[in-house]
Amino acid sequence: MTEAVSVKRLTHFINGELVEGKSRSYSKVYNPTTGEVIAEVPIATAEETREAIAAAKAAFPAWRDLSVAKRAEVLMRFRYLITENMEQLLDIICTESGKTLEDARGEVTRALESVDLAIGAPHLVKGEYSVNVGGQINAYSAKYPLGVVAAISPFNFPIMVPLAQTSMAIAVGNAVILKASEKVPMTSLFVSELWKKAGLPDGIWTVVNGSKEAVNELLENPTVQAISFVGSTPVAKYIYETGAKYGKRVTALGGGKNNMVVMPDADLEQVANAFIGAAYGAASQRCMAISTIVPVGEETADRLVAILKDKISKLKVGSYTEEGTDFGPVISKESKESILKAIDLAEQQGATVVNDGRELDIVKDSEGFFVGPTLLDNVTKEMDICDQEVFGPARNVVRVGSLSEAIDFINDQELANGVTIFTNDGAAARKFTTEIDVGMVGVNVPIPIPVGYHNFAGFKGSRFGEGHMFGPDQARFFTKTKTISERWPETTETTASTFAFPSNN
C-alpha cells in the first residue's frame, strides 16, 4: 500500500514575511511525476493584493534612495545564496515541475545570467551629460526607478523566468510584486527566503499567489507602474490591453510555434540530435521549443524522418530520480489530456504518426502526467496542429520544396517567437535571416535563446508591447528618464527677459 504524501499548506511572502492566506481559497499543487497532491497554495483576494501593493509602496522610497552600487551588493549576496543552496533548490524545482535534474540545473544557470546582468546595473543606468548647450546651460538625463512593478510568471520555468523578469527591476531601484504560477509556487517562496537572507529590505520583493482576481488588481491598481508577463498568447493579449488601458507600461510575452528549417546540404545526423533536444527537452514545455521541423525537398525529408524515428524511439521518459531519463511528465492532468487530443485530431486530419507517445506503458499505466515523444509527418497548413501551440511532446514535420516556400510558411504564422535554419550555405543563411519575420533567429543553433545580456522577445502574436525579458532593454523598461537643464548664473549677473524659444546660440 502506497504511503500517503503529506500536503503542505503554503503562504504568500509579503513585507518580508511568510503570510497565511486570508481567502480560505486554495489551489492544489501536484507532483507531476506521481500525480499526487503535495501542497495547497492560497489564492489571494483583491484586498490581500492591495495590502501587498501598499507594503511595497511604503518600502520603495528607501530602496530608491540607496545607491545603485549598494543595491548591486544585495544582488551579489543573493547570487551566492542561490549557488550555496543549489541542491535544495533543484529538488524543489524537480518536485513541483517534473523536470529532470539536468534540465533544472540548466534553468538555474540561465536564471543566474539575469542576476549577473542586473549586478551590472550601475553601468546600464548611467545618464548623458552635455556642457554649454546654449547660454551657459548644461543638460543631462538621469534614469529613475518607476516605483512598484509587477511580474506574472508561467509554470514552465519556476526560477529562470521570475528572475529574468525581476532581477533588473530590483537592481535599478523598484519594488517588485511577483504573481508566480499557482502550479509551481514553492520555488518562488524558497527564493523569497534567499532574498531576505541577502539583505533585501522588507517589501521590495513580494510573492502573491493568486488567480485572475489578484492579476486584475495588479493591472488596475494605480500604484503599480509596470507589468511584465510571460504565458500564453490569449492571456498575454489580455494583460497588454488591460494594463495599457490603465496607463501602465506593459511587456507581455506569449506563445511560440518555433520552426527548424533543414536544407539539403545539412548534416542530417547533427540536425536530428539538435532537433530532439530542442523539441522534446522539458517535455516540450518551453516557449522556445522547436514545434515543427521543415525539411526542404522530399529526399531530405525522407532521410531525416527515418533518422528521427530511430532516435526518438530510444528516448527514456520517466521520473527525475531515475538515471538516464531524457524528460519527465507534463505539468498537469489537463495538459496531458489536451496534448493527447491534439495528437488524435492531427491523425484524424491526415497526419502520419511516426512515433506514437500515446502508446508508451508509462503513459497508460502511471498516475503521473506523462506523454511520450510523438512525431507527426505530412502535417499541412490546413491541420489544427500546424498553427496550434501544443505545450507538450507532440512535434510536427512539414515538408516544403524550397527555402522560399519555407520562409513563406513561417512568415504566414501568427506566432513568431523563435526560428532556426540548419545549412552549410552562407547565402541561404543570409537570405533566411534577412527575410524571416521572427524575433529570435538561429543559424545551426537548435534553440536560439539569447544569453542574459541580449534582449529576448518574439514578434507578432508572441509579444505585446515593446519590452524584453532579458538584456539591457530591461533597464530601460523599468526606469523613467528625466532630462534636466540647469544654469548657475553669477550672483551679480542680471539678465533681461527673453521671449524667444531657447537655442544653442
Side-chain angles (χ1 to χ4, degrees):
M1 185 174 179
T2 305
E3 184 178 344
V5 175
S6 174
V7 177
K8 183 178 182 180
R9 182 64 61 88
L10 301 177
T11 64
H12 307 296
F13 186 83
I14 299 173
N15 207 20
E17 302 293 338
L18 295 172
V19 177
E20 292 185 5
K22 299 177 182 178
S23 68
R24 297 185 180 179
S25 176
Y26 292 86
S27 179
K28 294 178 180 178
V29 181
Y30 291 86
N31 179 334
T33 303
T34 64
E36 296 170 307
V37 177
I38 54 175
E40 291 181 334
V41 61
I43 301 301
T45 62
E47 181 182 354
E48 288 175 287
T49 308
R50 282 193 291 273
E51 291 173 2
I53 293 169
K57 181 180 179 181
F60 164 66
W63 183 244
R64 173 199 61 199
D65 295 340
L66 193 66
S67 75
V68 65
K70 289 293 185 183
R71 295 198 296 260
E73 288 179 8
V74 174
L75 271 84
M76 284 189 276
R77 290 193 293 270
F78 174 68
R79 189 196 195 284
Y80 169 77
L81 287 169
I82 289 178
T83 58
E84 182 80 359
N85 293 274
M86 180 69 77
E87 297 309 313
Q88 186 177 357
L89 180 57
L90 293 176
D91 185 63
I92 294 171
I93 292 172
C94 292
T95 299
E96 68 178 356
S97 74
K99 292 192 176 198
T100 64
L101 196 59
E102 179 185 15
D103 190 27
R105 195 180 298 277
E107 179 186 345
V108 176
T109 300
R110 295 308 302 267
L112 289 174
E113 288 182 7
S114 294
V115 180
D116 290 340
L117 181 68
I119 290 171
H123 168 70
L124 295 172
V125 296
K126 291 187 300 185
E128 299 172 328
Y129 199 98
S130 297
V131 176
N132 196 20
V133 295
Q136 297 181 330
I137 296 173
N138 296 340
Y140 66 93
S141 64
K143 292 183 172 66
Y144 294 84
L146 300 177
V148 178
V149 301
I152 304 168
S153 64
F155 73 82
N156 56 331
F157 289 100
I159 188 169
M160 186 190 78
V161 171
L163 290 190
Q165 293 175 292
T166 62
S167 297
M168 185 64 72
I170 289 172
V172 299
N174 296 287
V176 168
I177 295 176
L178 171 66
K179 205 299 285 183
S181 168
E182 67 279 4
K183 293 182 173 65
V184 289
M186 296 189 296
T187 301
S188 294
L189 292 173
F190 183 74
V191 166
S192 300
E193 296 178 34
L194 300 186
W195 277 120
K196 178 97 172 177
K197 291 177 182 177
L200 190 68
D202 294 347
I204 299 302
W205 166 273
T206 297
V207 174
V208 173
N209 297 298
S211 55
K212 191 172 182 179
E213 185 176 354
V215 169
N216 283 341
E217 181 61 35
L218 293 173
L219 291 171
E220 298 172 13
N221 193 294
T223 297
V224 178
Q225 300 298 302
I227 301 282
S228 173
F229 172 85
V230 178
S232 68
T233 291
V235 181
K237 188 172 186 289
Y238 170 79
I239 295 291
Y240 174 71
E241 291 176 348
T242 307
K245 174 184 174 182
Y246 285 93
K248 301 186 190 309
R249 189 176 294 187
V250 182
T251 180
L253 303 188
K257 192 71 180 176
N258 311 305
N259 298 270
M260 176 187 284
V261 175
V262 182
M263 297 298 291
D265 67 322
D267 183 323
L268 297 189
E269 189 72 22
Q270 290 183 0
V271 168
N273 289 334
F275 172 76
I276 286 173
Y280 297 110
S284 307
Q285 296 174 119
R286 297 167 173 162
C287 68
M288 288 293 286
I290 296 297
S291 304
T292 305
I293 192 162
V294 187
V296 176
E298 288 296 326
E299 181 182 354
T300 305
D302 288 342
R303 290 169 53 212
L304 181 57
V305 169
I307 296 171
L308 286 173
K309 180 178 180 179
D310 178 62
K311 290 182 179 292
I312 292 170
S313 68
K314 297 174 182 176
L315 293 177
K316 180 179 178 181
V317 181
S319 168
Y320 77 93
T321 59
E322 298 173 5
E323 188 175 347
T325 296
D326 292 301
F327 66 86
V330 296
I331 192 63
S332 68
K333 181 181 179 181
E334 293 76 15
S335 181
K336 174 181 177 177
E337 291 173 348
S338 174
I339 297 160
L340 295 179
K341 286 180 181 178
I343 297 170
D344 292 342
L345 180 59
E347 187 176 22
Q348 292 167 17
Q349 292 178 335
T352 304
V353 181
V354 178
N355 298 86
D356 195 341
R358 299 169 296 182
E359 296 302 318
L360 294 187
D361 289 342
I362 195 169
V363 176
K364 294 183 287 186
D365 301 337
S366 173
E367 294 297 320
F369 311 134
F370 292 98
V371 179
T374 300
L375 185 67
L376 301 164
D377 194 6
N378 299 306
V379 172
T380 64
K381 291 189 291 185
E382 294 74 28
M383 298 178 186
D384 290 41
I385 204 167
C386 191
D387 294 322
Q388 174 188 2
E389 184 188 27
V390 178
F391 222 53
R395 310 287 88 177
N396 309 326
V397 179
V398 173
R399 298 172 177 236
V400 296
S402 67
L403 176 58
S404 293
E405 186 181 345
I407 292 171
D408 289 343
F409 164 71
I410 295 166
N411 284 348
D412 283 344
Q413 294 178 354
E414 176 192 356
L415 303 179
N417 217 31
V419 69
T420 189
I421 184 172
F422 274 73
T423 183
N424 291 314
D425 185 341
R430 184 169 59 249
K431 173 182 174 67
F432 184 78
T433 56
T434 300
E435 297 182 12
I436 207 71
D437 189 21
V438 176
M440 290 168 282
V441 183
V443 177
N444 299 320
V445 174
I447 304 180
I449 300 177
V451 291
Y453 42 88
H454 281 270
N455 294 326
F456 175 109
F459 291 167
K460 298 191 285 189
S462 293
R463 175 176 61 154
F464 300 87
E466 290 303 313
H468 293 76
M469 189 169 69
F470 300 160
D473 265 11
Q474 284 246 301
R476 291 187 281 271
F477 182 80
F478 286 116
T479 56
K480 55 190 175 185
T481 301
K482 295 180 184 178
T483 303
I484 301 163
S485 301
E486 62 180 14
R487 180 174 180 268
W488 299 98
E490 298 291 339
T491 55
T492 58
E493 178 183 349
T494 58
T495 57
S497 298
T498 178
F499 297 92
F501 193 80
S503 72
N504 60 357
N505 295 323

